[in-house]
Amino acid sequence: ALNSGERGGLLGHGSLMMVTSYPNRTSPVLRGKFVLENLLGGPPPEPPPNVPALETSSEGRELTMREAMAKHRENPACRVCHAAMDPIGFSLENYDAVGKWRSDFAGKPIDASGLLPDGNIFVGPEGLRSLLLERPNDFVGTITEKLMRFALGRSLEYYDMPEIRAIVRAAAQDDYRWSSVILGVIQSAPFQMRRTEI
């Protein structure tokens, strides 16, 4: 039987865990970047050129992902970008590269805790879910932008943003229901006034 914190929703889905991993190992960076870009709407900056490869062993011993990332962050140019991505990615580290739940790696228990630059502390997928739910405007705003982009069939422009904010405000009045967001998009001026190409 699965523990209730192991699965549930998008964050515990095996396909997401696979697409945010490398073929032979997990990647807290890819996982953290996915959440920042697609759920919180705050993509990290592009990495600097010539980023060294992640060292996964030291002195003949396999490193845990947290140990390997700590070595990587010794480079000051890398530290800034990883401050927001890594804690989010580490909260999903109980999922291996194919999404199977695990409780230890390299002979050590997995530390799925995270500390964000703003001081928020959370543990594991459940903690990450709670963090997302504490920021409904960021989460719903990002989802609304992606839904509007899909509905319009084009990139969003600066003049679309007041409409996005209005949809999120209206959804907040209705407890952020999906139906409120979807209706907001289809009733919006950009959607109603869009042109179709023949």
Side-chain angles (χ1 to χ4, degrees):
L2 289 175
N3 185 341
S4 64
E6 292 179 18
R7 297 288 172 205
L10 181 65
L11 294 176
H13 205 275
S15 62
L16 175 60
M17 295 301 105
M18 284 182 67
V19 79
T20 56
S21 295
Y22 292 111
N24 60 340
R25 67 172 175 84
T26 62
S27 175
V29 174
L30 292 177
R31 290 176 177 180
K33 183 175 186 260
F34 175 88
V35 171
L36 286 173
E37 281 180 344
N38 296 294
L39 302 179
L40 291 174
E46 289 297 317
N50 303 320
V51 174
L54 187 68
E55 296 178 32
T56 57
S57 62
S58 177
E59 300 170 3
R61 181 178 71 84
E62 186 176 20
L63 299 174
T64 66
M65 190 54 64
R66 194 171 285 271
E67 291 169 334
M69 292 302 298
K71 283 187 69 138
H72 180 74
R73 284 191 308 269
E74 289 174 1
N75 180 342
C78 299
R79 189 177 308 126
V80 174
C81 296
H82 287 273
M85 283 187 298
D86 291 0
I88 292 171
F90 282 129
S91 71
L92 300 171
E93 191 62 16
N94 283 109
Y95 299 112
D96 69 9
V98 295
K100 182 180 174 191
W101 185 264
R102 61 189 179 169
S103 55
D104 62 290
F105 178 74
K108 294 185 179 177
I110 289 177
D111 178 1
S113 63
L115 169 65
L116 290 176
D118 66 4
N120 273 308
I121 299 171
F122 55 98
V123 179
E126 282 292 313
L128 181 56
R129 282 185 199 100
S130 297
L131 178 76
L132 292 172
L133 292 173
E134 288 170 10
R135 301 166 183 229
N137 279 345
D138 294 343
F139 175 65
V140 176
T142 302
I143 297 301
T144 303
E145 285 181 30
K146 292 184 177 302
L147 190 57
M148 180 72 85
R149 188 177 304 124
F150 177 77
L152 298 177
R154 64 169 172 81
S155 297
L156 297 182
E157 301 295 339
Y158 69 92
Y159 47 79
D160 296 313
M161 299 321 289
E163 195 75 39
I164 298 291
R165 289 189 294 272
I167 293 168
V168 173
R169 279 193 306 272
Q173 298 298 316
D174 196 20
D175 200 26
Y176 295 104
R177 297 175 68 90
W178 273 113
S179 56
S180 296
V181 174
I182 293 168
L183 282 171
V185 168
I186 63 174
Q187 292 171 347
S188 69
F191 184 79
Q192 295 284 322
M193 305 299 286
R194 77 189 190 288
R195 290 188 305 221
T196 57
E197 299 295 323
I198 298 178

